Amino acid sequence: VNDQGVPIQALQIGEGPVNSLIVATHHGNEYGSTAVALGIADNFAKKPITGQTVYIVPVLNISGYNKANRNETALGRSSDPNRDYTGPCKSGASFNLKSTKALSDFLEQKNIQISATLHTFWPAVVYPWGISTHDLSTPYDAQYIELAKDATKESNYTVGNNTQVLYAADGTFEDYAYWKHGIWSLLFELGFSHNPDATAIKNMIDVNIPGVRRFLENSPKQRVANHAFVGKCDTQVMQRFVLE
């Protein structure tokens, strides 16, 4: 449950030894990501991925979603859920929200091996690292690039490192899943607006379902072995992007 006592619901689709996760709406004003998650759920229910159990969380940030607010409220305080995870360059408290703690626990309980997070609104599919550092490489960059390119055949979204394509942000789910657990993690930034109309939403669903499916199908079926961050954190990287 979240901080308001509302259950956070997930859909389970298919059966198999590989456990995958798709989570939408860390940010409550990104309702297009929820629509895509539900579109994926409908598609996967009709044709499950062989050998996989796929869990889909259409709305993580329920209070924000209900108010079209990016942040989530807990104990009278507004927090960005996608800055609330631990990470190699994260300072300050983490898991201030019950929703992010619940999702973190879910990764361990279900032994998730592959995860896709859905956001709006910058057309890109990106991979770790997205943290405050100049040391952006992982041992799996080549595989990540191929997975991301394969996931964007229909959408033609930009592919690249999270920090380089978007911006540096510490405490995000995408980097946490990779850094803490070695989960194959991609971030899908969908479409071109936080306020897509019905036509734009349909397009977002249509061009991303095949790519998300291929990402889950083609990812290695075991967590990565070498997922520690061995670089040097530099908060100036994040500050530079914030100023820009």
Side-chain angles (χ1 to χ4, degrees):
V1 300
N2 66 6
D3 284 276
Q4 288 73 45
V6 179
I8 301 167
Q9 297 185 349
L11 305 171
Q12 178 182 330
I13 301 173
E15 293 182 341
V18 177
N19 297 314
S20 303
L21 172 69
I22 299 169
V23 56
T25 323
H26 268 84
H27 295 137
N29 63 327
E30 298 177 3
Y31 65 86
S33 68
T34 298
V36 174
L38 293 174
I40 291 170
D42 181 66
N43 180 272
F44 284 18
K46 294 173 181 174
K47 185 183 177 182
I49 295 178
T50 302
Q52 290 197 33
T53 303
V54 180
Y55 299 96
I56 300 178
V57 180
V59 181
L60 181 71
N61 177 359
I62 297 171
S63 66
Y65 182 83
N66 288 339
K67 296 179 179 179
N69 190 328
R70 174 185 174 90
N71 287 355
E72 185 171 356
T73 302
L75 300 176
R77 174 180 172 183
S78 178
S79 299
D80 185 330
N82 209 36
R83 305 293 185 272
D84 196 39
Y85 299 89
T86 59
C89 298
K90 172 71 182 291
S91 60
S94 300
F95 299 120
N96 299 291
L97 298 166
K98 289 184 178 180
S99 61
T100 55
K101 183 61 169 65
L103 191 62
S104 171
D105 292 343
F106 191 80
L107 297 179
E108 295 193 58
Q109 293 165 3
K110 299 300 183 181
N111 188 32
I112 300 298
Q113 285 105 38
I114 309 165
S115 72
T117 39
L118 310 182
H119 288 261
T120 60
F121 71 102
W122 188 265
V125 173
V126 295
Y127 52 87
W129 296 103
I131 58 180
S132 299
T133 183
H134 293 284
D135 303 317
L136 297 172
S137 296
T138 76
Y140 309 97
D141 281 3
Q143 287 171 279
Y144 265 128
I145 290 169
E146 289 304 311
L147 289 168
K149 284 182 176 179
D150 206 33
T152 55
K153 287 181 178 178
E154 291 81 11
S155 68
N156 294 312
Y157 288 176
T158 300
V159 167
N161 169 273
N162 201 343
T163 293
Q164 293 171 327
V165 172
L166 299 174
Y167 48 79
D170 295 320
T172 66
F173 173 83
E174 300 78 36
D175 284 302
Y176 170 78
Y178 173 80
W179 168 72
K180 181 70 174 180
H181 298 292
I183 295 169
W184 289 94
S185 174
L186 284 185
L187 164 63
F188 287 72
E189 283 279 352
L190 308 162
F192 303 88
S193 171
H194 281 323
N195 300 292
D197 60 20
T199 300
I201 287 176
K202 183 179 186 306
N203 176 260
M204 288 162 57
I205 293 170
D206 290 345
V207 301
N208 283 289
I209 285 176
V212 172
R213 178 181 286 274
R214 281 195 300 271
F215 169 55
L216 300 189
E217 289 176 338
N218 296 340
S219 289
K221 302 307 183 286
Q222 295 181 336
R223 294 179 175 183
V224 306
N226 302 315
H227 50 91
F229 176 66
V230 296
K232 181 180 178 181
C233 297
D234 182 358
T235 57
Q236 295 298 316
V237 175
M238 184 166 62
Q239 292 171 6
R240 176 169 61 86
F241 281 98
V242 169
L243 290 173
E244 290 176 353

